Amino acid sequence: MQGKFYGIGIGPGDPELITLKGLKAIQKADVIAFPAGRGGKQGMAEAIAAQFLRPDQIKLPLELPFVQDQLTLRAAWQTAVLNIAQHLRQGQNVAFIAEGDVSFYSTQTYLMWGLKASYPDIDIEIIPGISSPMASAAAIGIPLTIWSDKLAVLPALHQIADLETALDWAEVVVLMKVSSVYPQVWQLLRSRGLLPHSHAIAWATMPQQKIWSNLTQFPDLELPYFSLLIVSLSTSVV
């Protein structure tokens, strides 16, 4: 018998936002895999799910570096796939947990592709989770989109021109992992008169969550990695 692979999104940070289906899959898995934390510290996904893990479950931290170099990333993904497959071949069910939703800018996608390519007979189930834009809008107290709003989501922003293009056609723009480019983004939003319509949030749904609305007075925010920014031009939002 061969084990089953579960890719499980466990939400933005609050453990109570793990779905019931995700929680059941986590609790019945033999092996819990997750991105390893930096510097020997507990990673975010492991921390979110920690209270639900059994002492007898095998914990499998995977070294998945936060770099842009494709060769380094592919080598890390392949190593992770081999580690997961070893347990699956032994008949153990493996649950890979990741913050947010596992189909939304998630490392899980690359693991799933690697498993399918190397071990096409492995049974895979993907369980969605609550993604950070939805959780952040709820925490801020605004709708993410309404009626005919067009939504643009930009990942880690490297070209300010991409933001300018998005602002030209979308009523709502979400900037993921905005911390590294926040000063440039702030200047662009000021030039367009959009700061009163902008919100920044760090650590959404977690105890240390912090929200800044109307960014006019916040040109120098030092945001953590887990932060995003929402620009909302919806005419029906007060």
Side-chain angles (χ1 to χ4, degrees):
M1 292 292 292
Q2 182 169 259
K4 182 175 181 178
F5 176 80
Y6 295 87
I8 305 173
I10 57 174
D14 182 351
E16 292 187 355
L17 293 178
I18 299 176
T19 67
L20 287 174
K21 187 168 187 177
L23 180 59
K24 290 177 181 177
I26 290 170
Q27 291 179 329
K28 70 181 181 182
D30 304 295
V31 179
I32 305 296
F34 45 83
R38 297 182 181 181
K41 297 180 180 179
Q42 190 178 49
M44 186 173 180
E46 182 186 7
I48 294 171
Q51 63 183 284
F52 304 117
L53 304 184
R54 304 192 317 269
D56 62 308
Q57 286 176 309
I58 298 172
K59 311 304 187 298
L60 183 62
L62 303 173
E63 295 294 338
L64 302 170
F66 293 90
V67 297
Q68 297 294 324
D69 181 70
Q70 289 297 309
L71 291 178
T72 301
L73 288 172
R74 288 172 183 168
W77 295 331
Q78 186 58 37
T79 299
V81 166
L82 292 173
N83 288 336
I84 290 170
Q86 180 180 5
H87 291 280
L88 294 171
R89 292 301 192 190
Q90 294 173 7
Q92 297 170 318
N93 293 328
V94 178
F96 176 79
I97 57 175
E99 63 270 11
D101 175 76
V102 286
S103 66
F104 188 70
Y105 300 120
S106 176
T107 299
Q108 187 277 154
T109 299
Y110 303 102
L111 300 180
M112 181 182 67
W113 285 348
L115 285 169
K116 285 184 174 180
S118 299
Y119 310 96
D121 57 327
I122 286 177
D123 189 10
I124 296 175
E125 181 175 351
I126 305 303
I127 300 177
I130 297 172
S131 62
S132 56
M134 287 68 180
S136 296
I140 294 167
I142 61 172
L144 188 59
T145 57
I146 58 174
W147 198 241
S148 60
D149 286 347
K150 296 182 291 295
L151 170 66
V153 179
L154 303 181
L157 194 64
H158 300 293
Q159 300 291 334
I160 292 297
D162 293 339
L163 174 56
E164 293 190 89
T165 300
L167 290 171
D168 287 338
W169 66 265
E171 284 77 29
V172 182
V173 177
V174 176
L175 302 181
M176 309 289 292
K177 302 173 183 176
V178 70
S179 58
S180 63
V181 292
Y182 179 80
Q184 300 97 298
V185 168
W186 190 91
Q187 291 291 345
L188 175 59
L189 296 177
R190 184 180 69 167
S191 70
R192 290 197 172 213
L194 296 176
L195 291 173
H197 306 279
S198 302
H199 312 264
I201 183 169
W203 303 107
T205 78
M206 302 186 74
Q208 66 269 44
Q209 170 185 289
K210 192 166 184 180
I211 296 170
W212 299 266
S213 291
N214 186 348
L215 298 180
T216 304
Q217 302 301 319
F218 304 105
D220 301 313
L221 285 181
E222 294 186 4
L223 297 169
Y225 179 80
F226 289 106
S227 60
L228 59 77
L229 192 148
I230 299 176
V231 184
S232 180
L233 297 177
S234 176
T235 56
S236 297
V237 176
V238 178

